[in-house]
Amino acid sequence: MLTIYSDDHHLHHGRCEIIDGELKPCFEMPSRADHVLARVRQQKLGDVIEPSDFGRAPVERIHDRDYLAFFEGAWARWAAMGRDGDLMPFTWPARTLRSVVPDNLHGQLGYYSFDGGAPITAGTWQAAWTATQVALSGQQLIGDGAHSAFALCRPPGHHAAADLMGGYCYLNNAAIAAQAFLDQGCKRVAILDVDYHHGNGTQSIFYARDDVLFASIHGHPAFEFPFFLGYADEQGEGAGEGFNLNLPLAAGSAWEPWSAALESACKRIAAYAPEVIVVSLGVDTFKEDPISQFRLDSPDYLRMGERIARLGKPTLFVMEGGYAVEEIGINAVNVLEGFEG
Ligand code: SP5
Ligand code: ZN
């Protein structure tokens, strides 16, 4: 399996986030992708290649132009104000407030975000931009006939909606790749999101559509971030009714309940008969993950890959979360090795 990777992810290194009421160093850090890359090489998974440039059009198929323009220009506006700390939101248009777009940089940042977990630094746009091209490069490999590819994206993407950043995510790499498959003639794409957190961004993007099936296994939003999406009764709307499957699990879940949920997701995906599968590959389900509450062990990720392989479809793996940095490479690459058999 080929891996697509760019060093550009190093350009994004947020300083801190609020965890348990304290400012702590960002868990979503550059060494995450470095560890995954090292493990890909150590295990000789296959060649590592640079992304190609697919331009703006496939990104604009998912994200609103005003959102992209804001994100691309935000740092320059901040720097022009003489600031060099991370740009972070502190006010949001919640209930009883208006969803207007203010002129002010902080007002706009609140408008275009849903939490304080996505700091903008000098290199964040470039890193997030390149991650979209990494995903699109994997998409092209599969479009050209490969059975699988690994888009080693960083920053992650599945919390990002059409015009919202949050949850360490800015641009939805998996959604952009899924849309590219459709735009190149696929009729049905399934997205299987195995990250510990619900992929609220991806769900929202495809919620009213039947050409993308979104299936997600995650910590129940009654107790876990993102709290406001990811419940089992969210099954899609309009033409998308029945094409959204949420499988929320209790805190402390280990492989037994997790694999039962995977079985349900795979049965639904098989019934949908997609031409291709995009896996939002987060490994923050790991028992040692510092911000998560599932209990998967490293060998479980081999089984995960094996089960996904049994669907028998061309599969694009897109890196999402995973914060036990020492083990992230072992766990992520275990899924890929399990898939290859
Ligand atoms: C891509 C991805 O995995 N994003 C995750 C964003 C999670 N942000 C909220 C973290 C809340 C952590 N609370 C855990 C407390 C640990 N003691
Ligand atoms: Zn996650």
Side-chain angles (χ1 to χ4, degrees), residues 55-281:
R56 215 160 168 112
V59 180
E60 289 179 346
R61 292 284 289 143
I62 293 299
H63 292 287
D64 293 353
R65 283 181 191 216
D66 61 344
Y67 172 73
L68 293 171
F70 166 76
F71 178 25
E72 185 172 16
W75 180 262
R77 293 167 66 188
W78 185 232
M81 292 160 68
R83 309 291 180 189
D84 64 358
D86 293 3
L87 177 56
M88 297 172 81
F90 57 81
T91 314
W92 291 271
R95 290 179 305 287
T96 77
L97 301 178
R98 279 178 65 184
S99 275
V100 291
V101 187
D103 292 332
N104 179 273
L105 176 62
H106 295 288
Q108 290 182 7
L109 186 54
Y111 181 82
Y112 290 119
S113 65
F114 70 89
D115 79 349
I120 296 177
T121 72
T124 299
W125 163 264
Q126 184 61 47
W129 177 262
T130 299
T132 67
Q133 306 298 307
V134 168
L136 287 163
S137 299
Q139 186 274 330
Q140 183 181 55
L141 285 172
I142 290 177
D144 288 348
H147 184 61
S148 62
F150 178 36
L152 211 182
C153 294
R154 181 183 171 272
H158 75 149
H159 294 301
D163 64 351
L164 287 173
M165 56 187 72
Y168 314 155
C169 300
Y170 307 84
L171 301 174
N172 196 316
N173 308 308
I176 290 165
Q179 183 64 48
F181 280 117
L182 296 167
D183 290 342
Q184 290 164 26
C186 281
K187 297 289 178 238
R188 284 182 309 282
V189 177
I191 300 178
L192 173 62
D193 191 325
V194 300
D195 186 281
Y196 170 74
H197 304 93
H198 176 250
N200 61 286
T202 314
Q203 170 172 314
S204 71
I205 287 163
F206 298 115
Y207 202 59
R209 291 168 49 174
D210 61 3
D211 54 355
V212 176
L213 172 70
F214 179 69
S216 178
I217 306 164
H218 49 267
H220 199 294
F223 78 88
E224 187 53 88
F225 179 91
F227 302 114
F228 306 107
L229 212 64
Y231 294 81
D233 64 351
E234 298 157 12
Q235 297 178 3
E237 65 183 13
E241 182 77 48
F243 297 94
N244 195 89
L245 176 64
N246 282 330
L247 298 162
L249 298 177
S253 292
W255 178 244
E256 198 178 326
W258 202 96
S259 60
L262 179 62
E263 197 53 42
S264 300
C266 285
K267 287 208 168 83
R268 179 69 189 89
I269 290 170
Y272 183 65
E275 289 131 292
V276 61
I277 297 170
V278 176
V279 177
S280 265
L281 178 58

Side-chain angles (χ1 to χ4, degrees), residues 17-20 24 28 115 117 156-159 166-169 195-197 224-225 284 290-293 320-323:
E17 65 179 307
I18 298 175
I19 295 272
D20 297 334
K24 294 193 178 165
E28 202 295 289
D115 79 349
H158 75 149
H159 294 301
Y168 314 155
C169 300
D195 186 281
Y196 170 74
H197 304 93
E224 187 53 88
F225 179 91
D284 36 10
I291 63 166
S292 308
Q293 299 191 58
E320 301 281 2
Y323 308 100

Side-chain angles (χ1 to χ4, degrees), residues 29 31-36 39 152 281-284 286 289 319-334:
M29 59 182 73
S31 58
R32 297 178 56 250
D34 298 340
H35 275 87
V36 177
R39 184 69 177 177
L152 211 182
L281 178 58
V283 292
D284 36 10
F286 184 53
D289 194 277
M319 193 71 214
E320 301 281 2
Y323 308 100
V325 175
E326 293 302 319
E327 294 95 344
I328 185 176
I330 294 169
N331 295 337
V333 176
N334 271 3

